[in-house]
Amino acid sequence: MRVAVIGAAGRMGSAVCEAVVVDEHLDLVAAVDPLCSGEKDPTDTVVVSESLQHLDPADVDVAVDFTVAEAARLNIHWCANNGVHAVVGTSGLVDGDIASFRSAFTSSNCLVAPNFAIGAVLLMRFAEMAAPFFPTAEVIELHHDNKVDAPSGTAMRTLERMAEASSEWGIDPTEHETIAGSRGGTGPGGISVHSIRLRGLVAHQEVLFGTDGETLTLRHDSLDRASFMAGITLACRVISEHPGVTVGLDTYLGI
Ligand code: NAD
């Protein structure tokens, strides 16, 4: 598959360029990022373009987007309009975006995955399985101190899946917060979510469940951006086999 990496100057985009060039089934044919247009990509393979408009869609099979939500919306529609598959990791996209992608992708496919780390995908699945058995739960997501959005896309998706799996969530007993926000944000199902931003972290998540006399803690740690690369390159290799718009890597992994 011929791959274009969008956001190639970013932390994720540059790692994706490196993962693509070492994958024998993938070819890095284009890189896009206004931050370093005209320069070579981090692997010295292609010259970085300022925007997708500068690419010939006939040269690209799949575009991988790790940018910001406002840019990703436009990039993903460019892919749909030009018959290019889209693998999207950018967070901050909402239900309305997914609905618009579903009507736009008619001749190519799209995967939007809040987390490409296999362990994080499994954590979401395990949280969904545990949800009906525990009346109380809280989600804590922990990220590096440059992350601009909160809560993380993974936390949002985890909350949605827990809320879909059970509607029997206990009522928050808090009547007064001495410091506003102490109980975190309220996500789907009324489940509390807490976002930690700390230098030195990469991407981590805990889901805490509680019922009478027992608790269950699920935790996943991405210790390096390498944790996302196997899922991203897998998605690029097989996206042509998954028609339409898919949310989450689960079906690509067969779980
Ligand atoms: P970053 O700030 O390091 O990189 C973003 C890059 O996008 C920048 O280089 C910026 O110049 C570029 N960009 C902005 N607008 C653009 C446009 N219109 N066209 C091309 N490039 C554009 O951020 P990051 O840490 O690499 O994260 C990127 C996104 O990926 C974030 O939303 C983050 O939350 C998400 N993320 C997802 C996963 C996952 O597994 N799904 C994992 C890590 C990060």
Side-chain angles (χ1 to χ4, degrees):
M1 294 286 265
R2 298 166 303 165
V3 180
V5 176
I6 318 171
R11 287 174 287 260
M12 285 297 291
S14 51
V16 175
C17 289
E18 282 163 17
V20 167
V21 296
V22 299
D23 188 305
E24 60 179 320
H25 303 289
L26 304 177
D27 288 317
L28 182 66
V29 294
V32 179
D33 199 313
L35 210 60
C36 65
S37 62
E39 297 171 21
K40 283 290 196 76
D41 79 275
T43 66
D44 212 19
T45 307
V46 293
V47 175
V48 178
S49 302
E50 188 182 359
S51 85
L52 269 178
Q53 319 301 327
H54 293 89
L55 302 191
D56 181 347
D59 294 338
V60 181
D61 297 312
V62 54
V64 181
D65 189 292
F66 279 93
T67 59
V68 290
E70 306 81 65
R73 285 185 188 102
L74 300 175
N75 295 335
I76 296 163
H77 278 285
W78 180 93
C79 290
N81 295 339
N82 288 286
V84 172
H85 300 305
V87 170
V88 182
T90 304
S91 52
L93 298 171
V94 296
D95 288 349
D97 293 314
I98 304 297
S100 77
F101 302 156
R102 288 198 196 285
S103 44
F105 277 87
T106 51
S107 61
S108 58
N109 307 332
C110 176
L111 168 68
V112 180
N115 203 313
F116 281 94
I118 311 295
V121 175
L122 288 170
L123 183 148
M124 286 187 265
R125 178 85 186 97
F126 296 156
E128 185 177 58
M129 290 166 70
F133 301 100
F134 292 86
T136 59
E138 307 237 347
V139 173
I140 306 171
E141 57 96 341
L142 311 91
H143 281 82
H144 57 85
D145 61 339
N146 287 311
K147 185 166 177 58
V148 295
D149 57 317
S152 68
T154 305
M156 282 305 295
R157 188 67 192 128
T158 307
L159 289 159
E160 284 163 7
R161 289 177 61 170
M162 288 165 65
E164 282 161 19
S166 173
S167 53
E168 305 288 314
W169 297 106
I171 306 292
D172 186 341
T174 312
E175 292 179 2
H176 173 69
E177 281 182 329
T178 307
I179 298 174
S182 304
R183 290 288 294 121
T186 305
I191 304 165
S192 289
V193 55
H194 310 266
S195 297
I196 313 287
R197 297 292 174 262
L198 209 62
R199 195 160 302 174
L201 295 178
V202 178
H204 317 257
Q205 179 163 286
E206 283 188 16
V207 183
L208 288 72
F209 291 96
T211 189
D212 296 334
E214 63 174 319
T215 65
L216 171 68
T217 301
L218 304 174
R219 180 171 171 118
H220 174 258
D221 297 278
S222 275
L223 305 171
D224 186 284
R225 287 184 181 83
S227 64
F228 305 117
M229 297 306 138
I232 295 167
T233 51
L234 166 82
C236 290
R237 290 195 300 271
V238 304
I239 190 165
S240 62
E241 299 162 21
H242 294 269
V245 175
T246 305
V247 177
L249 195 61
D250 309 51
T251 52
Y252 280 47
L253 297 176
I255 59 170

